Amino acid sequence: MNTKYTYRRLSKDNTAVLLVDHQSGLVNLVQDYSPDEFRNNVLALADLAKYFKLPTILTTSFEDGPNGPIVPELKEVHPEAAYIPRPGQINAWDNEDFVKAVRATGCKQLLIAGVLTEVCVAFPALSALEEGFEVFVVTDASGTFNEATRYAAWTRMAAAGVQLMNWMAVASELHRDWRKDIEGLGKLLSSHLPAYRNLITSYSANKPVA
């Protein structure tokens, strides 16, 4: 049996970001990350999507109900992003406008994050995978009730072929080489990782003056 693995890296020319149901009501259900940690991770993903100029789609479900409106910071970071307020479909892939928006990006690699991990992330991830997309779930920008629920969702998705990554791994794989933009990538990482801010501060202080 041929077990050779092909490493297919994320490409900034072929990747779209889907931010699913980061809504004011739903984020209150997230217990597998602290509120500050989760907010930071979600905004880190939003910021890296902007930095790499990735097509980004925002979607919500049943805003008029208890799920609430989208977290406003996401619209602030991506004011021009496609925005799909679904009237009620739980699986975003069941909404025709959402699928059209995804297809309109022309991208075959999808980065998905959302609330809740086992529902709002897993359902469209599995649906997109079935239709031939390469799917990458950003684990630390997705949240749920507890770690048991999280790991059950991760196991289900990984078994189907979804790749699991955190936001920093996504940024690093897209960037490829520090020399492309040391200050740009450094600013992105240090904006969301306090320890990395110390590293960049040290680097800048010791950098020779031109």
Side-chain angles (χ1 to χ4, degrees), residues 18-104:
L18 314 182
L19 299 177
V20 184
D21 300 353
H22 292 96
Q23 295 170 248
S24 62
L26 289 176
V27 295
N28 291 312
L29 302 177
V30 175
Q31 300 294 318
D32 54 336
Y33 296 99
S34 70
D36 288 343
E37 183 182 14
F38 186 63
R39 177 182 180 277
N40 176 71
N41 293 342
V42 173
L43 293 181
L45 177 58
D47 284 345
L48 78 82
K50 182 176 182 179
Y51 173 69
F52 290 107
K53 298 181 174 62
L54 306 179
T56 300
I57 299 171
L58 310 177
T59 186
T60 58
S61 177
F62 196 39
E63 285 191 7
D64 295 334
N67 293 349
I70 193 168
V71 174
E73 292 95 329
L74 294 180
K75 278 193 170 182
E76 292 169 7
V77 176
H78 291 284
E80 305 301 322
Y83 174 58
I84 313 295
R86 310 190 313 279
Q89 296 96 341
I90 294 174
N91 182 349
W93 210 262
D94 289 340
N95 181 277
E96 184 177 350
D97 291 334
F98 178 77
V99 176
K100 283 182 179 178
V102 174
R103 296 194 183 284

Side-chain angles (χ1 to χ4, degrees), residues 17 50 52 81 83 97 122-123 128 138 146 148 151 182 193:
V17 177
K50 182 176 182 179
F52 290 107
Y83 174 58
D97 291 334
F123 293 176
V138 187
N146 52 54
Y151 287 118
I182 297 172
L193 295 171

Side-chain angles (χ1 to χ4, degrees), residues 6-23:
T6 301
Y7 177 20
R8 296 177 62 85
R9 305 183 191 189
L10 285 166
S11 167
K12 61 184 180 181
D13 299 318
N14 195 32
T15 299
V17 177
L18 314 182
L19 299 177
V20 184
D21 300 353
H22 292 96
Q23 295 170 248

Side-chain angles (χ1 to χ4, degrees), residues 123-193:
F123 293 176
L126 296 171
S127 299
L129 196 69
E130 184 179 26
E131 295 201 19
F133 290 88
E134 287 184 77
V135 180
F136 303 77
V137 163
V138 187
T139 57
D140 52 355
S142 303
T144 187
F145 302 110
N146 52 54
E147 290 191 357
T149 305
R150 169 211 285 179
Y151 287 118
W154 288 358
T155 300
R156 183 187 189 195
M157 289 187 285
V162 173
Q163 298 189 52
L164 307 178
M165 301 178 71
N166 69 353
W167 73 261
M168 185 175 179
V170 169
S172 300
E173 189 158 287
L174 288 168
H175 199 70
R176 297 279 203 276
D177 190 324
W178 265 108
R179 294 167 294 180
K180 290 181 179 179
D181 183 6
I182 297 172
E183 286 74 20
L185 183 61
K187 181 179 179 181
L188 173 65
L189 298 182
S190 62
S191 294
H192 297 281
L193 295 171

